[in-house]
Amino acid sequence: MARRGTAARARPSAATQPAQPPARSARDATAAELDRLIHERVRLGIVSALAVNDSLSFTDLKALMGTTDGNLSVHARKLEDAGYVSCTKTFEGRVPRTDYTLTATGRKALERYLEHMEAIIRITREGRL
């Protein structure tokens, strides 16, 4: 007994597949290479603020980003999980303090992101996109 839909799921033979993927357009290339982790507004703000400061406290970043504790915490955690920022928790007396610094990996990611955005802007201004 033949299974339903077997023919529809069959893979095309190597002869019917293209030898190489089609060339990507400049638009496809620019979108595909964009660092989505940094591209989000709050995360880009965190990384940018840390790039020009040795370290910033959670309270400082919250004020700079104009966001809630929960929102900042979620975005900072994503950057920390990616190795872009490091987090240090200490106490000042009995008050907990969280400080963030940009790692070398985060600085390189920001540099790549900025170069990528500059290239998109340049291409757009030249009308090649």
Side-chain angles (χ1 to χ4, degrees):
M1 183 171 169
R3 292 177 35 190
R4 268 177 122 180
T6 304
R9 287 189 230 146
R11 296 180 147 223
S13 69
T16 59
Q17 293 181 346
Q20 295 180 354
R24 297 184 323 176
S25 69
R27 182 178 300 156
D28 293 339
T30 56
E33 296 166 4
L34 194 63
D35 186 339
R36 296 276 178 198
L37 187 65
I38 292 181
H39 192 60
E40 198 284 327
R41 182 187 70 84
V42 173
R43 291 193 292 264
L44 179 60
I46 293 169
V47 172
S48 298
L50 292 173
V52 295
N53 292 283
D54 290 337
S55 72
L56 289 170
S57 70
F58 184 90
T59 305
D60 293 336
L61 283 171
K62 180 182 161 190
L64 283 171
M65 299 303 114
T67 189
T68 63
D69 287 1
N71 196 19
L72 179 61
S73 181
V74 167
H75 288 295
R77 177 62 61 100
K78 287 184 180 183
L79 291 169
E80 191 178 355
D81 289 346
Y84 289 2
V85 300
S86 64
C87 170
T88 306
K89 294 183 182 273
T90 59
F91 281 91
E92 287 182 349
R94 292 183 168 212
V95 179
R97 179 183 170 99
T98 304
D99 290 303
Y100 293 94
T101 57
L102 188 64
T103 65
T105 301
R107 190 167 298 279
K108 286 178 187 171
L110 179 61
E111 294 283 331
R112 279 192 313 270
Y113 179 83
L114 294 175
E115 288 170 7
H116 192 100
M117 293 304 290
E118 287 170 352
I120 291 172
I121 292 167
R122 187 176 47 253
I123 289 169
T124 302
R125 287 197 170 139
E126 294 171 358
R128 293 188 294 150
L129 192 61

